[in-house]
Amino acid sequence: MPQAGLYVVATPIGNLEDISYRAVRLLSEVNLIAAEDTRHSRVLLSHYNVSTAIVSLHEHNEARLAGRILDRIVEGQAVALISDAGTPLISDPGYQLVRAAREAGLPVYSIPGPSAVTAALSVAGLPPDRFAFEGFLSSKAAARKKKLQTLSREPRTLVFFESSHRIAATIADMTEVFGGQRLVAICRELTKKFETVLRV
């Protein structure tokens, strides 16, 4: 049984086999799993025969549930935090919970593993030595362009997340703001059957 604390556990970004032995063992042994979407996470947990109790922790209830989860840790329980895919907190819920645990002096442990950011950088063919992760851009065109303008002189490789239905508009905005000389790689379905990397 793991010692009491909050365990931030990375889960696969696509292929269910991309999870560490340690992560599977820990998810089987903790008292509770806090998951971004329990329906999504149950697929992974079922695949590895993990029957640990699970609770939903997402952006709309994180502030309300954080205290209850911390109470369980204070009582001596081990709680795992997972997101739908990859490493929690990276454009996913969990920051409020981790911050509250740290402020309360409770132990927080990293169980590292898959990350869409590093997976994309490893296959994009763009300079990976220095990069800036910017997460999701605004869905509103004006706000998106304004953010891109603040990054127009950024020399590092820029990494963004974007939804499939906005990718064409976002690339058009990037071309307008950054000019046509900056290289772009679009990485989708990484680690899945239809993994694609396009260079634009």
Side-chain angles (χ1 to χ4, degrees), residues 35-87:
E36 181 179 2
D37 183 334
T38 57
R39 293 165 300 176
H40 180 90
S41 295
R42 283 187 204 283
V43 174
L44 172 69
L45 300 176
S46 176
H47 183 79
Y48 286 102
N49 298 312
V50 174
S51 58
T52 305
I54 187 170
V55 64
S56 178
L57 182 116
H58 48 74
E59 62 180 330
H60 303 297
N61 72 0
E62 184 176 358
R64 180 169 44 86
L65 287 185
R68 286 188 234 167
I69 291 172
L70 297 186
D71 287 344
R72 293 182 76 143
I73 296 171
V74 169
E75 292 167 3
Q77 294 188 24
V79 178
L81 171 66
I82 62 175
S83 63
D84 287 351
T87 304

Side-chain angles (χ1 to χ4, degrees), residues 123-169:
V123 296
L126 300 175
D129 53 334
R130 296 180 68 240
F131 67 91
F133 174 62
E134 293 293 331
F136 284 96
L137 291 167
S138 174
S139 61
K140 295 181 171 61
R144 185 169 58 239
K145 285 183 183 178
K146 184 176 181 181
K147 177 62 177 180
L148 291 171
Q149 286 166 352
T150 67
L151 298 168
S152 62
R153 297 190 182 276
E154 173 58 66
R156 295 174 293 180
T157 296
L158 297 170
V159 181
F160 300 92
F161 286 163
E162 187 54 279
S163 66
S164 58
H165 65 275
R166 279 199 306 265
I167 192 71

Side-chain angles (χ1 to χ4, degrees), residues 13-36:
I13 62 173
N15 190 313
L16 293 182
E17 294 179 4
D18 292 336
I19 190 168
S20 70
Y21 291 116
R22 182 182 180 208
V24 173
R25 178 184 54 78
L26 192 103
L27 291 172
S28 299
E29 295 177 351
V30 294
N31 303 99
L32 179 69
I33 297 170
E36 181 179 2

